[in-house]
Amino acid sequence: MLLDKALSMREIRKTCGAVKSLCWLGAGLTVLVCCRLHLMGLTSPSFATSDNPTARHSSFLVRTLTFSYLPAFNGLLLLFPRWLSFDWSMDAIPRIESVFDSRNLFSILFYGLFYLGMSRSLRSLKSEEMTKKIKPRKCRGCGQGCGYHTRYCKISNNNNYPTSHCNCKIAPRTRRESEAILISISILILPFIPASNLFFYVGFVVAERVLYLPSVGYCLLLGVGYGRLSRYTLPRIALIVLILSYSARTYLRNFDWQDEESLYRSGVHINPPKAYGNLGSVLSSQGRTKEAETAFRIALSFRPNMADVHYNL
């Protein structure tokens, strides 16, 4: 009786711990946003139309569809960082001007997955199964006369002391997973909100730097998924391939940041006018006049109204 009551109290403390973590995360984000607004003088950011063209578009539908798609695109960059650029302004990502644009399906899928993850986690935490008394059962691999708890027991119950009669009470896996998923999704979403154009327009279309904090939530989700499937061989192979792929992508991306010329050349397939315009300035400063002239003319062929490029040419 006392043991069951202690287990119930333990479950309550775990739930309170998850809620407390979410509250601290939200409070930290609120403080950062308030500090940012104070530095901005309680005014919206000032930026040129080319930095975020959708923000100045006259159609509410176009703004809504495009800004709804951008978080999904950022999520894709986390999952598959194949396309990276130093600058995503201008028309690097074309605006969505119709409800029949195929990218809207990707947005729906993106938000649907987040909704399913959040709803399932919340239902698991609130279900009767989580609040009923947990019947004691022996830890996996631990039996009468074992010298130490198994690794699984240590991770699950924080048991590091020796025991001769192990009868560990392990909380249901679903509760731990639900709390981890809830925290992970919160870390993915909350730090990204100030850059989402939801409360005020920002001076960029996509900026990879704003994904630094959300990437923590992505890594946590990846860990939860692997923990669920780690007993199978295929997920282990997939994790190894994923780590090697991300490592290789990081190694190759480092070459793009060796110097300004390499950086601007790496962005010509994402944002040609901005990349070629900057590349022309770098080549001109190096005395490579013919190459600089070619770069300037290519930049103007994409966007003829860039005054600085006309001047440099």
Side-chain angles (χ1 to χ4, degrees):
M1 184 74 176
L2 293 175
L3 185 59
D4 290 339
K5 187 177 293 186
L7 288 171
S8 299
M9 292 299 296
R10 181 181 177 183
E11 295 303 314
I12 293 173
R13 284 196 297 270
K14 282 188 176 182
T15 303
C16 293
V19 173
K20 187 182 294 185
S21 298
L22 290 175
C23 291
W24 276 110
L25 184 63
L29 176 66
T30 303
V31 171
L32 290 175
V33 171
C34 291
C35 292
R36 179 64 178 173
L37 291 175
H38 176 71
L39 291 175
M40 292 163 51
L42 299 179
T43 59
S44 59
S46 177
F47 53 88
T49 302
S50 59
D51 294 332
N52 189 358
T54 307
R56 305 290 171 81
H57 200 280
S58 58
S59 172
F60 175 77
L61 178 64
V62 172
R63 294 198 304 272
T64 301
L65 294 177
T66 304
F67 288 144
S68 297
Y69 168 73
L70 291 181
F73 183 82
N74 280 274
L76 180 63
L77 283 182
L78 276 179
L79 292 171
F80 188 64
R82 170 64 181 85
W83 304 279
L84 298 174
S85 175
F86 70 96
D87 193 292
W88 291 86
S89 61
M90 300 182 179
D91 296 319
I93 299 180
R95 291 185 290 268
I96 299 178
E97 301 183 351
S98 171
V99 293
F100 300 106
D101 194 306
S102 59
R103 289 175 291 176
N104 291 323
L105 296 177
F106 181 67
S107 300
I108 294 172
L109 176 63
F110 176 78
Y111 293 112
L113 289 175
F114 266 112
Y115 173 77
L116 287 176
M118 292 288 287
S119 61
R120 288 191 62 180
S121 300
L122 291 173
R123 281 200 304 268
S124 297
L125 289 173
K126 293 179 180 178
S127 65
E128 293 181 2
E129 219 172 277
M130 295 297 101
T131 57
K132 70 181 182 180
K133 295 178 181 179
I134 305 168
K135 295 182 179 180
R137 62 186 176 90
K138 291 186 177 180
C139 174
R140 180 194 306 174
C142 291
Q144 296 293 332
C146 64
Y148 290 89
H149 290 280
T150 62
R151 180 174 176 272
Y152 180 81
C153 175
K154 291 179 181 179
I155 294 174
S156 303
N157 301 282
N158 195 27
N159 291 328
N160 297 302
Y161 52 86
T163 179
S164 57
H165 298 286
C166 177
N167 192 28
C168 309
K169 316 305 182 298
I170 302 174
R173 180 187 292 264
T174 52
R175 171 176 285 275
R176 297 195 304 274
E177 287 180 353
S178 300
E179 292 173 350
I181 292 173
L182 196 60
I183 294 294
S184 302
I185 294 178
S186 300
I187 297 176
L188 265 172
I189 295 175
L190 294 180
F192 183 78
I193 289 178
S196 64
N197 294 279
L198 182 61
F199 298 111
F200 49 82
Y201 295 129
V202 295
F204 53 84
V205 179
V206 170
E208 295 157 14
R209 60 185 178 274
V210 304
L211 296 177
Y212 291 158
L213 286 179
S215 66
V216 176
Y218 166 62
C219 292
L220 289 175
L221 277 178
L222 191 64
V224 172
Y226 177 74
R228 183 72 176 272
L229 303 172
S230 58
R231 60 181 178 275
Y232 303 110
T233 303
L234 185 59
R236 296 180 183 180
I237 297 175
L239 180 64
I240 294 174
V241 171
L242 185 67
I243 293 175
L244 291 176
S245 300
Y246 283 173
S247 300
R249 186 69 184 98
T250 303
Y251 177 77
L252 293 175
R253 181 62 175 165
N254 287 336
F255 288 102
D256 295 336
W257 285 87
Q258 280 188 328
D259 51 51
E260 288 184 316
E261 181 179 349
S262 299
L263 181 63
Y264 296 144
R265 287 190 184 278
S266 69
V268 296
H269 62 291
I270 299 293
N271 193 348
K274 190 69 170 287
Y276 278 114
N278 290 340
L279 179 61
S281 298
V282 171
L283 295 174
S284 178
S285 65
Q286 296 175 355
R288 298 156 65 180
T289 310
K290 291 295 182 182
E291 295 177 67
E293 181 181 354
T294 302
F296 287 139
R297 294 193 183 279
I298 294 176
L300 292 174
S301 68
F302 284 99
R303 196 176 182 90
N305 62 345
M306 293 192 294
D308 56 337
V309 177
H310 278 289
Y311 175 80
N312 290 332
L313 178 61

